[in-house]
Amino acid sequence: MNTQQTAQLKSSANGFARRRSERESGMRLENKHQSGKLNQNRSMNAKSPSRDRLVYLSTCLIGHPVEVRLKNGSIYSGTCHTTNVEQEFAIILKMARMTKDASYRGSKQEYVMKAPSKTLIIPGKEVAEVIAKDVPVTVAGQSNELQNERHEDILIDSSISHSRHVELDRELSPWVPDEDDPQCPGLENIFDGPWNRGWDQFETNKMLFGVKSTFDEELYTTRLEKGPRMRELEREATRIAREIEGEDTEDLHLAEERGINLGEDFDGDEEVRFSSVIRGRGLDDSGYDEDEDILLDKRNTETFGDVPASSGAKTDHLHRGTSNDSAGALLTSSVDEPQCSQSSNGSEFFQSNTYDHCRQQADDLPCKSSTSDCNGRSLYGNPEILRVAQGHDSINASIETKTVAVDGKLSKSNESQSAENSQTAGFDRGGLLADAPSVTSSVKEMPPTEPEVVYVKADGESSGVSACRQPGTFASGSDHAGATSASSHPAVSPSSSLIGSSSSENSTLNPHAKEFKFNPNAKSFTPSHSSPVRPPSPVSDGSYYFTPNVTTLPQMHGMPVGIGMGPSYSGHQHVLFNPQVAPLRSPQPYFHPSGPQYGQQMNLGHPRQVLYMPGYQPVSSSQHL
Amino acid sequence: MEGSISNSSSNEDFAVGCMLSIKTTLGDEFDGQVITFDRPSNILVLQEGSKPGPRRNIRFLKTNYIKEFSFLGQSEDPLDIKKCYIDLQSLQDREELALRQAEADAERIGVGVTTEAQGIFDALSKTLPVRWDKTSIVVMNEVRVSSPYLPENVIGGTPAANDRVKKVLELERRRLQTRP
């Protein structure tokens, strides 16, 4: 080590600016080099470990900031370039500054700064002490240091807080939690029984500051109409809520929300526990669990565009849980923006995946069912439906422009509780859903924004819509105004991307849904023989028939329930419907509008009333029910 | 200022691992643990602080400058020989890095300015882009603050910038005064 040091000294000494003792140092170095060996022998003849240590430690200093105190009291700070223990610890500093001048007698404030010296050679005789902080003495320390240094290019918090530039007003110390439970340092208490706190902020404010509040809760939320059935509905609602909230979930974040403990040895840092988006759970709809509340809002909005559906909002005051659940309804993966005519907050885009409980309201376009209300209210006394409801626009909207048989549907649905909306072919989205009994509530509400809703009959719709509203599930009274407005849209507008409208919270779209990719070449299904792809018909390719007595289709996942609509519609409509199939958990909720899939669905033994119309022709309105 | 040399002759006092409390002739007082003592050069290497770990605070002190010391106790060797390796390359890298850093730092230091001025510069640099121009502080490349760095010395720049710098300067000065 000595020789190495010597070599370093020598090389560094060359060509550098020197202080007055330069020559001295130079000489010393020369001597050193020549007599290095000699010195070495002399001082290390016993291989004294102490000397070794000294050299080792001083070598550790290289590149490290050190402070050198001279015997006259001055202090220099700089980066240690090299040291020479042989010569009484001479030291060479780079970028050195005099941080304390012993000879200066003036006040600190007036001390004049000097430029740092690029290289400063301090003879050993002058050195009294060398101080270095945080010197990595062992291997572990060294490697860390380099990494840290590299990372300094990225300004991390700790480097900022330790900045040498800024004078610290106070000593920063890392935060430590109180002695309370580290997980919940007292925060829990704040939220315990918020309703029972007995503290009225408005009163307090008024008292303290004389501020009169004009806060009216009803401005921000929908008024609950307390009718005779209120209690019953409330009970129902609470029950459902509890059920949903108590569900087991695999989703980390949901579990956390519900207070399910993960277990102490959960492997994951805070980000995983509280923040990150969990992906990779299977990007297709298979295995979608209705228990998952993950609201697809995000995805939905992306896929379908944004619809400020107020309807979605309505449900909020109802069980969130339930709404979430309905989200499960999801949208079929095939939602395609341009084609989608909106889907309101997810409501009923029924992805129909395994949505067992969901009763999707078969939504026919026109309907804006506000299922949302259903949740709580279940006028029809059918709790399940509520779930679905989220009041989102039913997928109906989805139907692509072409479809539509809207109006008939509307009225129909209204009347019949089961909205059996067969999804007409147009349901690409897979919407499906008829759900008769559950429908009760469902009147899907169409998000106001739906610009495109493709409704064939705009007018009819309006009426239909209002009709829909009738059943009055709307506790929320929310605006179905939207619906009305929506209905005014001309029918069949080729798809503005509506669908997306679902407001984020209320979306029932399936986040896992695969994006719908229109397949112009998709063969239409023919049950018995292959049928040629039909050319797109102007309108009602998507029109659908439904028979009044078709019972509710329990949720279908992924399959639009369309009754009677033969798959024989042009390829661009991806109507997939499943005439009443039992709720099934098909492994492929997303299905391509090709034949085989359909066939697969057919296996579910359920009484079906399928009306195939291979040669389906656009049906005149009169035929619509 | 040679201190008493008597101590240096008694090596036994500086056995490795000793905890000592030392007063130096320079006015320093500290406690440390002996890592090594090298008699030929009279250098005592001490480790300060008790935090175990790869990084330590180290002092190299020449025994000449020990005014007095007292023995606090005996502990084990603070240096684990087995773990002591040096990677010269990494040392050099570290040095280069430190130099780069230091050069950047040097930019921020005014030459020939008082420490007070430097303090103001540092304070301003927290929120504004500043640089030195001889003994004037140039803020945002527009506004100049010259000695003695009072609000009335703020010149130049757009009125808005000028006002801003004035304001920041006032606040910083006030802050610097209250701080000890």
Side-chain angles (χ1 to χ4, degrees):
Chain A
M1 273 189 283
N2 262 344
T3 34
Q4 276 172 347
Q5 241 191 11
T6 319
Q8 277 173 344
L9 276 175
K10 193 159 201 295
S11 56
S12 59
N14 290 340
F16 282 122
R18 302 195 177 207
R19 280 183 77 200
R20 48 184 159 83
S21 48
E22 159 191 333
R23 233 179 294 129
E24 259 178 65
S25 316
M27 268 169 43
R28 283 204 203 116
L29 286 171
E30 298 292 336
N31 289 341
K32 175 96 190 99
H33 186 60
Q34 286 162 8
S35 57
K37 278 219 169 137
L38 207 53
N39 279 347
Q40 212 170 346
N41 289 341
R42 225 187 296 143
S43 55
M44 294 176 60
N45 50 7
K47 289 247 183 240
S48 64
S50 57
R51 170 52 66 103
D52 286 350
R53 287 181 170 219
L54 181 60
V55 175
Y56 171 78
L57 289 168
S58 53
T59 317
C60 284
L61 289 180
I62 293 178
H64 206 79
V66 297
E67 211 176 78
V68 181
R69 291 170 193 228
L70 302 189
K71 67 180 182 185
N72 64 4
S74 304
I75 302 181
Y76 283 92
S77 292
T79 310
C80 173
H81 181 67
T82 185
T83 63
N84 182 357
V85 292
E86 301 291 326
Q87 304 292 337
E88 296 186 26
F89 219 87
I91 188 168
I92 299 184
L93 296 178
K94 290 242 175 159
M95 300 305 288
R97 285 204 296 133
M98 180 184 264
T99 48
K100 181 173 166 210
D101 190 351
S103 55
Y104 186 74
R105 298 282 167 247
S107 76
K108 188 174 187 254
Q109 294 290 7
E110 292 162 14
Y111 174 74
V112 178
M113 315 277 293
K114 293 191 208 138
S117 332
K118 275 219 129 80
T119 307
L120 183 67
I121 303 179
I122 306 179
K125 278 214 151 58
E126 309 278 329
V127 175
E129 199 176 0
V130 175
I131 303 177
K133 294 206 159 32
D134 285 339
V135 180
V137 177
T138 59
V139 194
Q142 285 172 20
S143 51
N144 285 346
E145 181 173 336
L146 276 183
Q147 276 171 5
N148 289 342
E149 302 285 352
R150 296 249 161 77
H151 291 157
E152 265 175 31
D153 293 339
I154 309 166
L155 267 187
I156 52 179
D157 278 352
S158 43
S159 65
I160 292 175
S161 54
H162 285 148
S163 169
R164 286 160 282 168
H165 305 318
V166 180
E167 289 182 47
L168 296 175
D169 294 341
R170 45 190 178 266
E171 186 67 31
L172 302 174
S173 61
W175 175 81
V176 282
D178 295 342
E179 275 144 24
D180 308 351
D181 178 6
Q183 297 270 341
C184 0
L187 279 183
E188 290 291 337
N189 309 333
I190 297 179
F191 299 117
D192 286 346
W195 313 121
N196 303 333
R197 263 186 298 171
W199 181 66
D200 181 1
Q201 57 176 340
F202 300 115
E203 281 310 310
T204 313
N205 223 9
K206 187 158 167 201
M207 187 179 55
L208 288 179
F209 307 108
V211 173
K212 282 221 176 73
S213 155
T214 56
F215 175 75
D216 175 22
E217 190 188 50
E218 311 229 333
L219 291 175
Y220 304 101
T221 178
T222 323
R223 200 186 147 77
L224 285 185
E225 291 175 10
K226 319 222 173 203
R229 309 182 59 186
M230 184 63 181
R231 186 142 300 178
E232 191 182 300
L233 294 171
E234 266 182 3
R235 246 185 293 122
E236 200 48 52
T238 354
R239 181 185 75 78
I240 299 172
R242 237 180 292 122
E243 197 180 307
I244 292 179
E245 284 164 6
E247 277 170 358
D248 245 351
T249 172
E250 282 182 11
D251 183 323
L252 269 185
H253 303 320
L254 288 172
E256 199 245 335
E257 246 177 56
R258 293 181 185 159
I260 299 172
N261 231 330
L262 283 178
E264 283 313 310
D265 52 320
F266 176 68
D267 178 32
D269 59 3
E270 280 176 341
E271 188 193 353
V272 172
R273 278 223 303 267
F274 303 115
S275 159
S276 64
V277 173
I278 300 179
R279 299 186 197 277
R281 202 133 11 122
L283 290 176
D284 58 355
D285 300 326
S286 56
Y288 180 87
D289 204 356
E290 79 247 17
D291 291 334
E292 296 300 341
D293 288 10
I294 300 177
L295 282 191
L296 337 187
D297 313 332
K298 260 304 180 79
R299 300 266 196 110
N300 291 337
T301 20
E302 283 167 17
T303 325
F304 303 113
D306 246 336
V307 171
S310 44
S311 48
K314 291 188 282 204
T315 41
D316 283 357
H317 65 274
L318 294 177
H319 308 284
R320 244 173 180 231
T322 47
S323 359
N324 286 350
D325 232 22
S326 47
L330 354 151
L331 240 200
T332 44
S333 41
S334 49
V335 176
D336 198 354
E337 268 137 318
Q339 309 201 350
C340 228
S341 28
Q342 133 182 59
S343 42
S344 36
N345 316 321
S347 37
E348 330 272 328
F349 260 94
F350 314 113
Q351 166 84 82
S352 62
N353 288 336
T354 59
Y355 199 82
D356 293 330
H357 313 305
C358 262
R359 301 325 185 77
Q360 312 273 356
Q361 170 132 14
D363 184 277
D364 312 310
L365 313 176
C367 258
K368 294 179 182 192
S369 13
S370 38
T371 15
S372 46
D373 301 327
C374 306
N375 285 349
R377 320 247 141 212
S378 169
L379 290 189
Y380 303 80
N382 187 339
E384 319 265 81
I385 299 178
L386 305 189
R387 298 239 185 125
V388 170
Q390 197 96 52
H392 299 303
D393 319 295
S394 29
I395 295 185
N396 322 341
S398 51
I399 312 358
E400 346 187 300
T401 52
K402 307 334 174 289
T403 45
V404 164
V406 169
D407 54 27
K409 265 307 170 102
L410 270 186
S411 20
K412 204 44 181 237
S413 42
N414 290 339
E415 295 148 20
S416 53
Q417 283 206 4
S418 42
E420 206 51 347
N421 301 322
S422 21
Q423 182 104 48
T424 50
F427 244 120
D428 303 336
R429 303 316 175 151
L432 1 123
L433 342 206
D435 186 12
S438 39
V439 171
T440 53
S441 45
S442 38
V443 180
K444 286 177 193 194
E445 173 132 316
M446 193 90 78
T449 57
E450 270 198 50
E452 52 174 322
V453 178
V454 187
Y455 294 142
V456 177
K457 301 171 182 198
D459 297 342
E461 272 182 40
S462 333
S463 45
V465 172
S466 24
C468 282
R469 297 242 220 129
Q470 290 308 335
T473 22
F474 307 74
S476 41
S478 18
D479 39 35
H480 296 306
T484 338
S485 53
S487 51
S488 52
H489 289 302
V492 192
S493 45
S495 63
S496 14
S497 42
L498 242 217
I499 311 189
S501 48
S502 31
S503 56
S504 21
E505 311 87 286
N506 298 327
S507 168
T508 51
L509 298 181
N510 177 9
H512 301 300
K514 280 202 203 135
E515 191 179 23
F516 170 74
K517 301 253 185 298
F518 175 75
N519 177 6
N521 297 327
K523 266 219 234 159
S524 47
F525 170 84
T526 353
S528 47
H529 54 278
S530 56
S531 57
V533 175
R534 270 194 334 144
S537 50
V539 159
S540 30
D541 248 330
S543 60
Y544 50 92
Y545 261 157
F546 72 93
T547 20
N549 30 359
V550 172
T551 45
T552 315
L553 299 178
Q555 76 225 166
M556 346 239 359
H557 31 161
M559 299 277 238
V561 173
I563 302 177
M565 184 57 164
S568 55
Y569 33 108
S570 58
H572 72 275
Q573 291 180 346
H574 305 258
V575 174
L576 308 164
F577 64 92
N578 225 347
Q580 294 178 304
V581 288
L584 53 84
R585 286 171 181 264
S586 148
Q588 310 174 331
Y590 167 79
F591 43 91
H592 211 56
S594 44
Q597 267 184 345
Y598 185 90
Q600 162 186 337
Q601 303 282 355
M602 305 291 275
N603 293 339
L604 309 171
H606 232 259
R608 286 192 289 263
Q609 302 179 21
V610 180
L611 314 171
Y612 288 120
M613 326 265 298
Y616 179 83
Q617 303 294 331
V619 178
S620 64
S621 46
S622 58
Q623 292 185 17
H624 291 232
L625 299 176
Chain B
M1 300 184 329
E2 303 285 316
S4 81
I5 338 181
S6 54
N7 289 333
S8 54
S9 53
S10 49
N11 298 335
E12 290 78 6
D13 293 353
F14 297 131
V16 172
C18 280
M19 312 276 290
L20 304 173
S21 170
I22 296 182
K23 281 207 187 119
T24 69
T25 54
L26 304 171
D28 264 351
E29 284 183 44
F30 58 91
D31 294 348
Q33 192 179 15
V34 174
I35 301 183
T36 188
F37 169 63
D38 183 57
R39 197 156 12 133
S41 58
N42 274 341
I43 296 182
L44 178 66
V45 186
L46 297 136
Q47 167 183 300
E48 270 183 283
S50 52
K51 50 175 183 171
R55 291 172 169 253
R56 326 267 174 92
N57 292 351
I58 307 221
R59 278 185 189 246
F60 295 74
L61 179 62
K62 287 201 183 155
T63 50
N64 305 345
Y65 301 97
I66 297 180
K67 188 153 78 168
E68 58 183 87
F69 76 101
S70 51
F71 180 74
L72 296 176
Q74 177 71 44
S75 173
E76 50 186 38
D77 185 1
L79 205 59
D80 182 2
I81 297 284
K82 290 193 239 52
K83 292 203 192 132
C84 294
Y85 297 92
I86 293 188
D87 176 12
L88 279 182
Q89 185 57 46
S90 70
L91 285 183
Q92 278 167 1
D93 292 342
R94 178 174 80 181
E95 188 184 358
E96 271 171 53
L97 192 65
L99 288 182
R100 261 189 282 140
Q101 183 86 41
E103 274 166 34
D105 287 349
E107 291 287 313
R108 319 177 77 260
I109 297 176
V111 177
V113 298
T114 59
T115 32
E116 183 203 27
Q118 185 62 45
I120 291 176
F121 181 91
D122 288 339
L124 286 179
S125 74
K126 276 198 259 185
T127 50
L128 298 165
V130 285
R131 65 178 170 85
W132 280 110
D133 178 17
K134 298 280 168 28
T135 57
S136 299
I137 302 176
V138 181
V139 185
M140 296 186 287
N141 271 333
E142 286 182 347
V143 183
R144 305 184 70 93
V145 188
S146 37
S147 166
Y149 314 103
L150 296 170
E152 41 268 23
N153 301 117
V154 179
I155 313 161
T158 62
N162 197 303
D163 284 342
R164 183 170 161 203
V165 175
K166 269 205 183 93
K167 191 151 201 95
V168 176
L169 181 61
E170 275 170 33
L171 292 173
E172 290 298 340
R173 271 191 168 270
R174 218 175 299 155
R175 209 173 46 82
L176 287 173
Q177 270 154 22
T178 56
R179 229 179 344 104

